[in-house]
Amino acid sequence: MAQILRRKTYTASIGGVRVGSDAPVMVQSMTNTDTADIPGTIQQTAALARAGSEVVRVTVNNDDAAKAIPYIVEGLARQGIRVPIVGDFHYNGHQLLTKYPECAEGLAKYRINPGNVSVGRKNDDNFRTMIEVAVKYQRPVRIGVNWGSLDQSLLTKMMDENSRLAEPKDAREVTMEAMVVSAMNSAKLAEQSGLRPDQIILSAKVSGVQDLIDVYRRLAERCEYPLHLGLTEAGMGAKGVVASSAAMAVLLQEGIGDTIRVSLTPAPGGDRTEEVRVAQQILQSLGIRSFTPQVTACPGCGRTTSTFFQEMAQQIQTYLREQMPHWKGRYTGVEEMKVAVMGCIVNGPGESKHANLGISLPGTFEEPKAPVYVDGRLFTTLKGDKIVAEFTKILDDYVESHYAAREKEEVGVRG
């Protein structure tokens, strides 16, 4: 793993899972079901947890959603899934948390957007009420500032003050600063209302890559609260994946960020768990955490006119991901395994030698054989139409012989 020096923070706890400082950077996700749909929300939460989400956030926006929370938590527990559930509150969180104590107690953390709970308006009573509930049930709170719903009274005040300067800053600069001030003021108010510093996590969500880097650098300089990273609306497909990766990679490399979420817009009927896999891949690509064995595969060129190596790479990658939930409960360190599936003799043998397991398939006009390397040494050469099955068997044997068996098989999915 990469030796990235994390910024020193308070160490919070979400449902018994440590967050901050030397704790692993946590992967989060959020459901897009109607929370009042208890079976549907349980099903999607379970899928996210099994994919590797260590915390799952759900919308709590009305009475029916609040009433559903204890049943959702109970339903997940019956499946052996103990992932912490976070409630996402906005305009009426103060009412829902006080009206439904089973909801307040069932949630592992509350997410509060200070721009939507009357902070900075006539009074701060709604925000204080939510914090008092968090204190009562000893729940951590994420104070999540969002530039789409920034405290307008604060922003107006700061814009007015800026306009009177001899050399006014541009509007973007003032907005970035207002987000930081909003987060810090809200955290101070939460502490004054009884919440401990180690029960507070901050976020400042924007949708631009450079804006995200800017605002989090500022936050990191001014506080020791754990920080939750993520673009507020990353977008769909490649755009969302690339934007999230570009923004968070810079910050994570600087040691900034204790929890992350990739807010992808799924295609209609798309797989919600994609955001979990992308978040994991960002952390694994940076060498910060390992989640599943990695497959190195060449992109192909005129020397690889056959699609066989591409198909094999896909089959092996799918196999590894499907096996990982079983392997994780049985073997220690298997998530750090590296496998290479290469398409021709140019880089195939060399790249294969750098992996735990590697296979170099024959390119166009090459001799129809596929040398297999184990820990840098030629192990065997495969031929014929059963190469995939034979290589998979070698892979299974390698896992069995090279990774220590755990003393106990883990039960359920723990966030």
Side-chain angles (χ1 to χ4, degrees), residues 195-215:
L195 209 60
R196 301 191 311 269
D198 65 352
Q199 294 175 310
I200 298 172
I201 298 168
L202 298 184
S203 67
K205 294 292 195 75
V206 295
S207 56
V209 171
Q210 295 297 342
D211 294 328
L212 191 84
I213 293 169
D214 187 4
V215 74

Side-chain angles (χ1 to χ4, degrees), residues 40-330:
T41 302
I42 289 174
Q43 181 180 16
Q44 189 174 92
T45 301
L48 290 166
R50 292 189 176 110
S53 183
E54 294 158 306
V55 167
V56 177
R57 182 158 47 112
V58 302
T59 298
V60 187
N61 59 334
N62 55 39
D63 292 69
D64 289 339
K67 291 176 185 177
I69 293 299
Y71 297 101
I72 292 168
V73 173
E74 181 184 353
L76 290 166
R78 282 200 297 268
Q79 296 184 35
I81 296 173
R82 300 181 295 276
V83 64
I85 303 299
V86 175
D88 190 70
F89 295 97
H90 287 272
Y91 308 99
N92 57 354
H94 59 293
Q95 297 170 337
L96 297 175
L97 283 171
T98 52
K99 186 176 180 180
Y100 300 102
E102 296 86 356
C103 168
E105 190 169 12
L107 293 168
K109 184 178 76 169
Y110 312 149
R111 188 269 185 165
I112 305 174
N113 182 338
N116 289 338
V117 291
S118 79
V119 168
R121 298 175 191 171
K122 292 182 179 179
N123 55 57
D124 302 318
D125 288 350
N126 295 353
F127 181 81
R128 291 180 190 276
T129 296
M130 298 182 74
I131 297 301
E132 287 168 0
V133 175
V135 172
K136 177 180 179 180
Y137 292 104
Q138 286 299 290
R139 296 296 188 265
V141 167
R142 171 158 71 92
I143 297 172
V145 179
N146 192 306
W147 75 346
S149 50
L150 185 57
D151 178 355
Q152 290 302 299
S153 61
L154 173 65
L155 181 60
T156 300
K157 176 176 177 290
M158 293 181 66
M159 286 290 188
D160 289 343
E161 292 173 349
N162 179 67
S163 68
R164 293 191 289 270
L165 296 176
E167 296 183 7
K169 301 173 183 177
D170 62 36
R172 174 193 177 276
E173 177 74 10
V174 179
T175 301
M176 294 296 102
E177 183 63 18
M179 292 187 67
V180 174
V181 171
S182 176
M184 295 301 295
N185 287 351
S186 299
K188 181 179 180 181
L189 180 57
E191 287 194 48
Q192 291 172 347
S193 301
L195 209 60
R196 301 191 311 269
D198 65 352
Q199 294 175 310
I200 298 172
I201 298 168
L202 298 184
S203 67
K205 294 292 195 75
V206 295
S207 56
V209 171
Q210 295 297 342
D211 294 328
L212 191 84
I213 293 169
D214 187 4
V215 74
Y216 273 92
R217 282 174 173 168
R218 297 182 191 210
L219 264 181
E221 287 177 354
R222 301 188 203 179
C223 74
E224 293 186 1
Y225 302 113
L227 300 180
H228 172 73
L229 297 186
L231 292 171
T232 185
E233 292 104 6
M236 296 184 73
K239 186 271 180 184
V241 173
V242 172
S244 295
S245 302
M248 288 195 276
V250 172
L251 293 167
L252 290 166
Q253 190 71 19
E254 295 177 2
I256 299 171
D258 302 286
T259 72
I260 69 171
R261 182 195 171 203
V262 177
S263 301
L264 294 180
T265 303
D271 186 355
R272 190 69 170 179
T273 62
E274 181 185 7
E275 68 176 51
V276 178
R277 293 191 292 274
V278 173
Q280 290 178 330
Q281 193 60 55
I282 290 172
L283 294 175
Q284 189 147 353
S285 295
L286 290 169
I288 293 173
R289 290 186 66 182
S290 292
F291 297 94
T292 189
Q294 298 290 282
V295 176
T296 299
C298 65
C301 65
R303 298 184 183 89
T304 55
T305 52
S306 168
T307 60
F308 179 71
F309 87 93
Q310 298 163 323
E311 295 163 0
M312 182 173 181
Q314 184 178 44
Q315 290 173 25
I316 293 299
Q317 186 160 287
T318 300
Y319 180 77
L320 290 170
R321 184 165 290 280
E322 290 174 348
Q323 289 297 111
M324 193 56 208
H326 309 291
W327 285 346
K328 188 176 181 180
R330 297 177 58 193

